[in-house]
Amino acid sequence: MSESLSKPEGTLSLQTIAMPADTNWSGDVFGGWIVSQMDLAGAIHAERFSKGRCATISINQMTFLVPVKVGDVISCYTKILKVGNTSIQMQIEVWDSHDDSRLPKRVTEGVFTFVAVDAQGAKRQIPEQSKQRFLAQVSQV
Ligand SMILES: CC(C)(COP(=O)(O)OP(=O)(O)OC[C@H]1O[C@@H](n2cnc3c(N)ncnc32)[C@H](O)[C@@H]1OP(=O)(O)O)[C@@H](O)C(=O)NCCC(=O)NCCS
């Protein structure tokens, strides 16, 4: 993924603030906390898109570019890359802004895959309407 991109890509699916409890001994925020925010953001988008529950099946190509500090505002942007029969592959970027109004910077990115599941946790088909909406959006780009 390109370092040169200067703007977030996708939908703003989650925003939160890094708290003291989320840090390691150096005062930087734990990578695991950031991954869990990305997972939540992706699940919100995947569940809206597939109109039901989703489970994370894989996390790939994670890159941590710069550390996050306490008090930073974290914004997770999600963009669907691919839709299968039951799965949704999503690019998730995390951007960090401080309250001193410096420009936000991209701190982390990764590719997550979610599978649509039913109430019992068994995989289910992505609704045809959602697939068609995605294909229409992609063809416009
Ligand atoms: C999600 C789950 C129900 C899927 O059932 P499954 O029988 O393993 O599903 P399949 O192997 O048929 O794969 C389902 C889809 O995921 C895709 N997939 C499977 N493994 C994958 C992987 N490692 N990376 C990306 N996609 C993957 C398949 O290609 C398929 O996509 P498609 O239907 O769009 O073609 C099951 O794996 C599960 O419950 N996993 C645990 C999920 C979980 O608890 N997540 C939270 C982690 S704490």
Side-chain angles (χ1 to χ4, degrees), residues 133-141:
R133 197 157 24 103
F134 169 72
L135 291 172
Q137 277 169 4
V138 169
S139 68
Q140 281 170 6
V141 179

Side-chain angles (χ1 to χ4, degrees), residues 14-62:
L14 183 140
Q15 254 185 334
T16 188
I17 300 178
M19 302 292 277
D22 307 319
T23 59
N24 61 23
W25 53 93
S26 321
D28 294 330
V29 166
F30 282 116
W33 179 80
I34 298 174
V35 174
S36 71
Q37 304 311 307
M38 295 169 84
D39 199 24
L40 286 171
I44 289 168
H45 192 157
E47 295 195 353
R48 271 191 201 139
F49 177 80
S50 71
K51 305 194 185 311
R53 261 178 75 183
C54 286
T56 312
I57 196 158
S58 81
I59 300 179
N60 280 305
Q61 298 168 38
M62 282 294 304

